[in-house]
Structures are given as C-alpha cells and as structure tokens.
Amino acid sequence: KAARFPGFKTLEEFNYDHQPGADRTLIAHLGTSAYLQEAKNVILLGPPGTGKTHIAIGLGIKAAKSGHRVLFDTANGWVTRLQEAHSRGKLAAELTRLRRYSLLVIDEVGYVPFDQDAANLFFQLVSSRYEHASLILTSNLPFGRWGEVFGDPTIASAMIDRVVHHADVLSLKGTSYRLRGHKTITSTT
Ligand code: ADP
Ligand code: MG
C-alpha cells in the first residue's frame, strides 16, 4: 500500500481499558469507514503516548481495506509536500489531486510550529477538503492552543471551524502508554 503508515497498528489491538477517553462504540463505528462517504473528519486530541497515532493508523487501515484511497503523513510532511508543489507552480493541481484520496491522515499537528507560509498552505489543504473529502487529524494541543502552532489565532480559528464542522472529536487522556509498567518517575521517598 502507498499510504505510508509509520508502522502497523490495528483497532483490534487497542486496549480500551487503558484509555477511558476512547469511546469503543464510536471507534467501532468509525471502523466501518461510513464517515468517509459524508466527507466527515476525525480529530484525535491528547497528551503524548495516549494512542492518537495508533487509532489514526487503525482507522486508516480500515479505510484502505474497504477500498478507499488513503495517505498518511505528519503535519510537517504535508506542508513540505505542498511547499514543493507550490514552488513548481502546481499547488492547485496538487490539492485537486489529493481530493481523489477519500482520506488524508495528518499526524502530529502542534509538535512543530508553522511559519506563516506553512500555516497558509496548511489552511489551504484543510479548506480544499472541507465538505469534499475526509481528514483525520491528531494533536497534542487542545484547540485553544492551535493559535500558537499557526502563529495566528485568526487562521487557527478559521481552520478549526472548518475541521470541526463535520467531525467526531476524541479527547484521549492520561499518561503515556509508552511508560506503563515503569516505576513511578517522580518519587517523594
Ligand atoms: P500518541 O500518538 O498519542 O503519542 P501512540 O499512538 O504512538 O501515541 O501510542 C504510543 C505507543 O503505545 C504505541 O506503540 C501504541 O501502539 C501504544 N498504545 C497507546 N495506547 C494504547 C492502548 N490504549 N492500547 C494499546 N496500545 C496502545
Ligand atoms: Mg503520535
């Protein structure tokens, strides 16, 4: 598959008992990929290690298995791709081409802040998909802090407005699954 998932993770191996913020019934429903028909989005928010990328890959694999075209990249990967297209004078063509994919996964919005050009390109990607084709976005930051990522609260709220309009938002909680079973990191004794 050309989706370029960063590893293989399935919804079946996700441990819901460890993640109270993940609604099992909702995720099972999303696993049917019905939301793609309506160009709806899925937004996964939460601290590092809470399973955002795992669920995003799991949903992406389900979508691909039900015959949808899927691409996966980080937010910075998408911006780099759009910058390349833009520098060749082919931004509009690239956005049109990407709309033939029913699902784009945009992982890790928020780890690396965007400069103004990057923020504008990202906004164009979100706008071009609005009510046409789905996005799955993951972020370690709540919406209230996306202004810091995009360097501009106006562009951030315009983007959130479009992304959230037709979306399921899952807020994952707790401490990193990566650190489970480790001894308490901070100890007072
Ligand atoms: P995030 O993207 O939120 O930082 P990941 O999805 O990369 O976190 O999860 C970190 C690691 O922990 C991955 O190997 C993932 O498969 C695993 N993981 C996280 N949450 C769960 C869970 N509830 N059940 C099973 N594995 C999990
Ligand atoms: Mg991740």
Side-chain angles (χ1 to χ4, degrees), residues 52-53 107-108 111 138 178:
K52 302 181 297 298
T53 301
D107 200 18
E108 300 186 350
Y111 282 129
T138 84
R178 297 185 183 101

